[in-house]
């Protein structure tokens, strides 16, 4: 599994829920709900106290492909791998994180915001990126402009994307999936609502 390429992970479902787990849900029940709704790829942000342990539990759910988000350095990457992360998402791109991912042979989705970021990534042999923060960084017009010189690059725009804007991002040929926290809004502990939102997201077309 860890040999799966990031492009394959990005093609598994159109939306990657960005999960900030604050203890409102049992992680296994949440993962089962999301996978049952059709969202197999789950990003657990390493921002909360129990994130690593919760991620490990979610990874045990059949069909779930669980990765760690908010990975800021090599130490966090190694730690995430110890807890079963199958892919790594970072808000930015550093040589330290890229080298650690290479070393561990784990699929990496690093954040880029500019043409220079993408060129640095290309120099490291990467061609799939998170476009972050997508809306604040110029939105779809910015992505369209970047896709001109970088036609072969594939993106997962994340940051500020909502249920009602996700499909227009997905319609762009260089976009394989989008990331977003709208599937699990802060403070909303209703699993039925989460399931309905996740089903709508899973029905979107990349
Ligand atoms: O934690 C990380 O690694 C991040 O890079 C940030 C997340 O991707 C965004 O917080 C999701 O954006 P929203 O959907 O606007 O909430």
């Amino acid at each position: 599994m860890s040999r799966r390429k990031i492009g394959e992970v990005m093609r598994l479902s159109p939306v990657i829920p960005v999960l900030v787990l604050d203890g409102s849900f049992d992680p296994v029940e949440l993962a089962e709900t999301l996978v049952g709704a059709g969202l197999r790829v789950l990003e657990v942000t390493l921002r909360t106290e129990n994130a690593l342990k919760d991620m490990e539990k979610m990874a045990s759910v059949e069909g779930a492909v669980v990765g760690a988000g908010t990975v800021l350095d090599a130490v966090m990457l190694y730690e995430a791998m110890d807890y079963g992360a199958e892919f790594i998402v970072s808000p930015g791109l550093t040589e330290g994180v890229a080298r650690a991912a290479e070393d561990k042979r784990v699929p990496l989705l690093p954040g880029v915001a500019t043409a220079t970021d993408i060129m640095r990534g290309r120099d490291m042999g990467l061609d799939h990126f998170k476009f972050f923060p997508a809306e604040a960084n110029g939105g779809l017009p910015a992505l369209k402009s970047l896709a001109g010189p970088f036609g072969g690059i594939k993106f997962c725009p994340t940051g500020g994307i909502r249920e009602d804007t996700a499909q227009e991002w997905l319609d762009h040929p260089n976009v394989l999936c989008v990331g977003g926290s709208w599937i699990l809004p802060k403070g909303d502990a209703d699993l039925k609502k989460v399931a309905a939102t996740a089903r709508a997201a899973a029905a979107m077309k990349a």
Side-chain angles (χ1 to χ4, degrees):
M1 172 58 220
S2 61
R3 301 273 170 122
R4 193 179 249 156
K5 293 214 165 73
I6 193 64
E8 293 172 46
V9 176
M10 291 165 77
R11 284 180 174 88
L12 286 175
S13 58
V15 176
I16 300 180
V18 177
L19 306 171
V20 183
L21 301 175
D22 61 3
S24 309
F25 293 104
D26 173 75
V28 169
E29 267 175 34
L30 177 61
E32 284 171 351
T33 300
L34 293 169
V35 172
L39 295 182
R40 289 186 60 198
V41 183
L42 312 176
E43 176 186 338
V44 178
T45 58
L46 301 188
R47 299 193 204 177
T48 50
E49 209 184 324
N50 294 316
L52 285 168
K53 284 186 185 149
D54 287 349
M55 179 179 70
E56 188 174 43
K57 289 179 193 155
M58 294 179 97
S60 71
V61 170
E62 180 149 7
V65 177
V66 180
T70 331
V71 172
L72 306 180
D73 53 41
V75 173
M76 288 177 80
L77 183 144
Y78 292 132
E79 207 171 17
M81 297 289 297
D82 287 343
Y83 283 83
E86 294 180 81
F87 65 96
I88 298 291
V89 186
S90 178
L93 171 62
T94 65
E95 270 174 35
V97 170
R99 247 190 254 127
E102 181 74 30
D103 174 37
K104 285 285 185 184
R105 295 169 181 259
V106 63
L108 173 67
L109 185 60
V112 293
T114 66
T116 302
D117 293 343
I118 296 170
M119 289 169 70
R120 287 186 61 237
R122 281 181 82 256
D123 283 351
M124 296 176 195
L126 302 168
D127 53 9
H128 291 69
F129 301 100
K130 163 172 166 167
F131 178 50
F132 178 78
E135 287 294 356
N137 199 38
L140 196 46
L143 184 95
K144 283 181 182 164
S145 301
L146 287 169
F150 302 111
I153 300 291
K154 302 295 183 191
F155 297 97
C156 174
T158 306
I161 296 180
R162 303 186 312 264
E163 184 166 23
D164 60 328
T165 58
Q167 186 58 60
E168 53 198 59
W169 285 94
L170 289 166
D171 288 341
H172 191 280
N174 293 57
V175 172
L176 296 184
C177 61
V178 300
S181 62
W182 83 84
I183 314 283
L184 192 70
K186 220 175 164 186
D188 191 344
D190 182 347
L191 261 190
K192 276 200 190 123
K193 243 196 255 171
V194 172
T197 311
R199 271 196 300 275
M204 293 178 186
K205 295 273 172 277

